[in-house]
Amino acid sequence: MAINWFPGHMHKARKEIKQVMPQMDLIIEVLDARIPFSSENPLVPSLRGDKPLIKVLNKRDLADPEITQQWQNWLEKERGVRTITLTHNQRNEALGILKLAQEMTPDHDRQKSALRVMILGIPNVGKSTIINTLAGRPAAKTGNEPAVTRAQQAIKLPDNILLYDTPGFLWPKLSPEACGYRLAVTGAIRSSVLDFEDVALFEADFLRQAYPELIKNRYGFEELPVDGLAVMDGIAAKRRFFGRGGVPDLHKVSEILLNEFRAGTLGRVSLETPAMVEQEAEEAARAAAEKAEQEATKEKGKKKDRSGKR
């Protein structure tokens, strides 16, 4: 399943962000700590240029702490990038973002002019909640569904910092394919644009491989199921989720798997590691090279046929 979701208001948001970016002194990008790579927007580097960048790994309490540390080390290899981790509604922790912003812009005199900061983030990573926590008031609209923020707004923060909120936006093509699945599992993509059971199957298969003991303990398996579908069938049997004729109700199982993951009921789980995404990048590069070679060979054959006919 290839997930493509790029509503019109997101295309508009990208254009607006590109227009105001030159006026900014610093960028904040909010990521989901469970999927720091998949929740990064690959359009940001081209929009950012060389401006200082703070990557906020939000929802830290839902992610595997050891893997979160791996991600911080990996992300900070990039020049001008610092990271900070947050959990829900911890104002003192969130204020660390402002302290870090000041450290990264030592030459800016806030007595003379406001420090202009843009905050970016794909849908449903908790960007608006962080803004409200920093402002100490409901300055940004929040919601459980992705893509709540629809227009840019400027918000005054302490120490003469002006924060520019932006609509969350995804990119035109979610690739590699696993990125789309991970985004769907966390709820960054509306459920109406994806196959619910397909996404849950992806989650079940990943958890079986990466967190086998968690699966066994949570759903009462004595032995680890052989694959993701067996996990789902097993949950249906344990919870007695059956439809007509005793067929496992996989839709109900899918709801359980996705809702328990998103709520943290399953435990602290990260869906990707730096090593994993580096391997995926290598595989994608090899596949692209092979495809290019095949197309070149095919085109060469066509030219030979045309010359032969003449």
Side-chain angles (χ1 to χ4, degrees):
M1 178 187 68
I3 301 173
N4 289 279
W5 186 51
F6 200 60
H9 73 272
M10 291 187 178
H11 179 69
K12 181 185 175 189
R14 181 175 65 174
K15 290 176 66 177
E16 291 176 349
I17 289 167
K18 186 176 181 179
Q19 288 174 352
V20 300
M21 183 68 78
Q23 304 167 28
M24 298 298 114
D25 301 305
L26 179 138
I27 311 302
I28 298 171
E29 185 178 18
V30 184
L31 310 176
D32 187 321
R34 298 166 295 180
I35 51 168
F37 178 78
S38 295
S39 59
E40 272 187 325
N41 194 317
L43 297 176
V44 168
S46 62
L47 295 174
R48 167 201 168 204
D50 60 355
K51 297 181 187 295
L53 173 62
I54 299 173
K55 290 186 180 285
V56 179
L57 277 65
N58 199 26
K59 306 184 181 182
R60 178 193 67 215
D61 52 315
L62 300 177
D64 186 321
E66 183 178 333
I67 293 175
T68 298
Q69 184 60 59
Q70 291 178 23
W71 277 113
Q72 288 191 266
N73 297 340
W74 193 80
L75 291 167
E76 290 191 355
K77 290 179 181 178
E78 185 179 353
R79 185 178 178 183
V81 174
R82 298 280 298 276
T83 64
I84 187 171
T85 66
L86 294 184
T87 188
H88 185 63
N89 280 346
Q90 295 294 319
R91 179 165 168 75
N92 288 338
E93 283 192 344
L95 290 174
I97 297 173
L98 303 185
K99 183 179 179 182
L100 194 54
Q102 294 170 14
E103 291 177 6
M104 296 177 73
T105 55
D107 297 330
H108 187 94
D109 187 351
R110 290 189 305 282
Q111 300 295 324
K112 294 182 178 179
S113 63
L115 184 70
R116 295 176 179 269
V117 178
M118 177 177 284
I119 186 165
L120 300 166
I122 68 166
N124 215 31
V125 290
K127 174 171 63 72
S128 295
T129 300
I130 289 174
I131 291 170
N132 292 340
T133 303
L134 291 174
R137 64 185 191 280
K141 186 178 179 182
T142 61
N144 292 326
E145 276 291 303
V148 170
T149 305
R150 292 297 182 96
Q152 290 187 25
Q153 55 182 328
I155 301 160
K156 290 184 178 180
L157 298 181
D159 299 319
N160 202 17
I161 295 176
L162 198 57
L163 186 68
Y164 288 78
D165 184 19
T166 59
F169 65 104
L170 294 179
W171 45 103
K173 185 177 180 181
L174 305 176
S175 62
E177 190 172 301
C179 287
Y181 275 107
R182 292 171 195 144
L183 287 160
V185 170
T186 61
I189 302 175
R190 291 185 189 276
S191 56
S192 59
V193 300
L194 48 87
D195 186 319
F196 202 61
E197 293 175 20
D198 201 19
V199 172
L201 180 60
F202 173 88
E203 178 195 344
D205 194 53
F206 173 83
L207 291 173
R208 189 193 71 83
Q209 296 180 62
Y211 296 91
E213 293 305 313
L214 183 153
I215 281 287
K216 288 169 66 176
N217 295 336
R218 178 63 189 169
Y219 299 112
F221 295 122
E222 291 184 6
E223 294 184 2
L224 189 67
V226 295
D227 56 25
L229 184 58
V231 170
M232 296 179 73
D233 285 340
I235 294 172
K238 295 284 185 181
R239 301 284 179 95
R240 300 186 181 280
F241 293 156
F242 296 108
R244 290 182 179 180
V247 176
D249 187 341
L250 296 186
H251 187 83
K252 190 171 286 188
V253 171
S254 298
E255 287 182 335
I256 290 292
L257 275 168
L258 291 169
N259 289 339
E260 291 194 347
F261 172 83
R262 292 169 185 174
T265 309
L266 281 174
R268 300 181 68 172
V269 173
S270 293
L271 295 178
E272 60 191 15
T273 66
M276 182 190 303
V277 299
E278 285 177 351
Q279 182 180 347
E280 288 174 351
E282 290 173 3
E283 291 172 354
R286 280 197 298 269
E290 289 174 4
K291 184 178 179 180
E293 186 177 350
Q294 290 171 0
E295 289 177 351
T297 302
K298 188 176 179 180
E299 184 62 28
K300 187 176 180 181
K302 286 181 180 179
K303 287 181 179 179
K304 186 176 181 181
D305 289 343
R306 286 195 294 268
S307 62
K309 287 178 182 179
R310 288 197 296 269

